Amino acid sequence: MNTYTSARVAPLLDRLFAEADAASPLASPAFASLSSDERQRLMRSKAEYRELYADLRAFALPVSRETGRLLYMLARASRAQSIVEFGTSFGLSTLHLAAALRDTGGGRVITTEFEPSKVARARENLTAAGLADLVEFREGDALETLASGLPETIDLLLLDGAKSLYLDILVLVESRLRTGALIVADNADYCPEYLDYVGSSENGYLTMPFTDDVELTIRTGAITPAAGSPGQGLP
Ligand SMILES: C[S@@+](CC[C@H](N)C(=O)[O-])C[C@H]1O[C@@H](n2cnc3c(N)ncnc32)[C@H](O)[C@@H]1O
């Protein structure tokens, strides 16, 4: 079974990606009027992410087609059952993740988005694909919506919301990441502190840039202390 290439999902993804390509965020007057430096600053800001994404609420801003395919492949190959997504938007990445769940026997994607109109669009898209039963939509700021009610273990985490919050969201869900859990961070080059954290083996991760856009990380968990040293193990 391959839901990703099925007659119900593949044409929908083609249409949604084509619509996203046709609607550049640079068409947003508020965004277009900013200098490139100012845009970069906003992308990294912890204080202004709400305003930034409110200005961009009409835009899908999806992962690339390749990253979508990668998400389907990773979720399917790892037989992930419990997936958390930071940044739903119109649900293109969610469609890939839910398609993988369908093909491996079920599970749940918890996805979170603070723009209500986007949650509605995502819900419509997942329903059109016949995959809404696999998705729990949490409307609100991920710092709050992911602070409680998480599954015992998380198999795969997608970070694709405000770039400045990647490390905060990782730390929020960290205790639930199973050993071997996959973490896909889109555009992680905007968040050096996130890259430093997952790049430091004491924190229990193994990481590498997978494409220009994607940092791929696994939770390795326990640290083996050097012989004779008292070192502390992670769960
Ligand atoms: C790059 S888009 C996500 C694209 C989506 N993953 C896809 O591939 O279709 C980022 C989304 O995250 C949302 N977002 C940003 N920061 C958020 C936060 N702190 N809590 C919830 N949603 C957030 C934005 O409103 C925006 O819709």
Side-chain angles (χ1 to χ4, degrees), residues 53 61-63 86-88 92-93 113-114 118 140-142 160 162 165:
Y53 284 102
L61 315 170
V63 294
F86 168 44
T88 318
L92 276 76
S93 46
E113 167 62 56
F114 52 29
K118 287 191 149 185
D141 193 311
D160 195 24
L165 300 184

Side-chain angles (χ1 to χ4, degrees), residues 107-155:
R108 182 165 55 136
V109 184
I110 295 174
T111 185
T112 187
E113 167 62 56
F114 52 29
E115 286 299 328
S117 62
K118 287 191 149 185
V119 178
R121 290 274 288 263
R123 206 185 287 277
E124 271 171 34
N125 290 332
L126 271 294
T127 302
L131 296 170
D133 59 304
L134 297 164
V135 181
E136 179 184 331
F137 296 93
R138 295 190 181 182
E139 189 176 309
D141 193 311
L143 291 172
E144 287 151 29
T145 61
L146 298 180
S148 60
L150 292 176
E152 266 314 294
T153 56
I154 297 169
D155 301 313

Side-chain angles (χ1 to χ4, degrees), residues 47-228:
E48 291 161 278
Y49 65 87
R50 277 179 173 271
E51 291 83 347
L52 171 68
Y53 284 102
D55 284 343
L56 294 173
R57 69 167 69 85
F59 300 94
L61 315 170
V63 294
S64 69
R65 287 169 174 80
E66 293 72 26
T67 301
R69 182 177 286 240
L70 174 69
L71 288 170
Y72 173 83
M73 291 170 66
L74 289 175
R76 182 159 177 175
S78 65
R79 303 190 72 81
Q81 291 193 310
S82 173
I83 299 177
V84 172
E85 173 179 54
F86 168 44
T88 318
S89 195
F90 296 173
L92 276 76
S93 46
T94 324
L95 285 164
H96 293 82
L97 295 167
L101 289 184
R102 179 70 81 223
D103 294 341
T104 52
R108 182 165 55 136
V109 184
I110 295 174
T111 185
T112 187
E113 167 62 56
F114 52 29
E115 286 299 328
S117 62
K118 287 191 149 185
V119 178
R121 290 274 288 263
R123 206 185 287 277
E124 271 171 34
N125 290 332
L126 271 294
T127 302
L131 296 170
D133 59 304
L134 297 164
V135 181
E136 179 184 331
F137 296 93
R138 295 190 181 182
E139 189 176 309
D141 193 311
L143 291 172
E144 287 151 29
T145 61
L146 298 180
S148 60
L150 292 176
E152 266 314 294
T153 56
I154 297 169
D155 301 313
L156 192 154
L157 171 68
L158 171 61
L159 296 170
D160 195 24
K163 311 305 159 200
S164 56
L165 300 184
Y166 279 14
L167 182 54
D168 302 70
I169 299 295
L170 178 68
V171 168
L172 199 59
V173 308
E174 187 169 65
S175 65
R176 306 295 176 117
L177 291 171
R178 72 163 168 82
T179 301
L182 290 158
I183 304 148
V184 177
D186 203 35
N187 308 119
D189 45 337
Y190 283 109
C191 26
E193 75 279 14
Y194 170 82
L195 293 175
D196 285 349
Y197 186 82
V198 293
S200 171
S201 58
E202 305 92 78
N203 293 324
Y205 295 93
L206 191 64
T207 194
M208 60 179 275
F210 191 75
T211 62
D212 284 352
D213 292 342
V214 171
E215 181 78 12
L216 181 62
T217 304
I218 65 164
R219 178 78 172 142
T220 52
I223 297 167
T224 311

